Amino acid sequence: AQKITQTQPGMFVQEKEAVTLDCTYDTSDPSYGLFWYKQPSSGEMIFLIYQGSYDQQNATEGRYSLNFQKARKSANLVISASQLGDSAMYFCAMRGRNSWGKLQFGAGTQVVVTP
Amino acid sequence: DTAVSQTPKYLVTQMGNDKSIKCEQNLGHDTMYWYKQDSKKFLKIMFSYNNKELIINETVPNRFSPKSPDKAHLNLHINSLELGDSAVYFCASSQRVQVEQFFGPGTRLTVL
């Protein structure tokens, strides 16, 4: 069985600062994918970044980077230079190799960026 | 040029009614999904179709019936609606099952 844990229900961050959102996972699949999605107050789900379990390098997409530590089973999202528009709910998700694409989501972390 | 679209965006209905939510994607993807987001924002997969064939069917009451007339469409029909069905329903699609999924805007269903 797979499990995704996000232990931070909410956090405040000041504009222009970096923020790290924690995500740990548990799976017996030898191959898996880790995803982060953003859900602003308008409700849509926006894909941010993907990390494959066999990728040697940590994924980066603009101001987003994924700090992947396989031995610790963690896949933390780092947002650099926070902007007011980053205020949203952030979800970590995992897909196992044999899961037919099924994404297992964490409970989410609510981020509020303050001026 | 919407990638994944859903209709309607809002649906308010009485208990016991039957309703449908439609989803269309113009990304050329071969796999489509339905997710349910409850009032605590928890997201859980309900169904997945690959090339019009059902590949994931989580423990969802059989009042929920998905239908995929073609690769670009995945509809969700719900019979005998109950209060607990109130949620936001998201459609998503991906090219193959191993890559990122793109979500529609969601349909907020309220059962009174």
Side-chain angles (χ1 to χ4, degrees):
Chain A
Q2 297 174 92
K3 190 177 178 184
I4 288 274
T5 303
Q6 292 180 256
T7 55
Q8 305 153 309
M11 52 200 308
F12 288 91
V13 59
Q14 214 152 18
E15 211 176 354
K16 296 180 187 161
E17 294 196 345
V19 61
T20 298
L21 307 184
D22 295 341
C23 174
T24 57
Y25 61 90
D26 193 20
T27 182
S28 54
D29 270 335
S31 171
Y32 49 90
L34 296 154
F35 303 79
W36 279 91
Y37 284 84
K38 171 185 177 181
Q39 186 175 40
S41 57
S42 49
E44 69 269 31
M45 292 287 290
I46 302 165
F47 166 72
L48 295 177
I49 197 166
Y50 164 78
Q51 178 85 42
S53 59
Y54 287 114
D55 292 343
Q56 294 296 319
Q57 300 214 338
N58 286 346
T60 59
E61 287 287 348
R63 293 186 299 110
Y64 304 108
S65 58
L66 202 152
N67 183 1
F68 180 46
Q69 297 189 40
K70 194 169 181 177
R72 295 180 61 187
K73 294 191 174 178
S74 76
N76 298 341
L77 177 70
V78 180
I79 308 173
S80 62
S82 296
Q83 301 171 356
L84 295 177
D86 293 335
S87 293
M89 189 78 140
Y90 289 82
F91 292 97
C92 181
M94 179 172 66
R95 182 259 306 137
R97 183 179 69 179
N98 299 317
S99 65
W100 290 100
K102 169 180 157 181
L103 284 179
Q104 190 98 15
F105 282 88
T109 296
Q110 181 73 47
V111 172
V112 176
V113 180
T114 58
Chain B
D1 60 343
T2 307
V4 183
S5 59
Q6 293 179 229
T7 51
K9 190 163 171 60
Y10 299 96
L11 190 49
V12 181
T13 188
Q14 300 281 342
M15 254 187 353
N17 284 350
D18 303 338
K19 289 293 177 187
S20 290
I21 306 172
K22 294 187 176 183
C23 177
E24 177 180 2
Q25 54 93 5
N26 62 6
L27 297 165
H29 289 168
D30 60 5
T31 308
M32 296 183 74
Y33 312 82
W34 278 112
Y35 287 86
K36 178 181 179 181
Q37 186 174 42
D38 64 22
S39 57
K40 294 188 173 148
K41 301 278 193 178
F42 186 68
L43 274 149
K44 190 169 161 52
I45 192 162
M46 301 172 70
F47 301 103
S48 172
Y49 272 75
N50 178 258
N51 284 316
K52 300 194 297 169
E53 288 200 28
L54 182 67
I55 56 170
I56 295 175
N57 184 352
E58 290 290 287
T59 48
V60 176
N62 58 15
R63 298 182 295 105
F64 290 79
S65 51
K67 277 199 173 56
S68 182
D70 55 56
K71 281 193 336 181
H73 296 85
L74 180 61
N75 304 323
L76 184 66
H77 188 76
I78 316 169
N79 288 329
S80 305
L81 278 155
E82 300 178 356
L83 294 176
D85 298 332
S86 294
V88 179
Y89 292 84
F90 284 99
C91 176
S93 73
S94 66
Q95 183 56 26
R96 309 189 318 274
V97 297
Q98 300 300 331
V99 298
E100 67 268 23
Q101 296 174 20
F102 293 91
F103 282 71
T107 295
R108 182 174 292 276
L109 171 65
T110 303
V111 182
L112 304 174

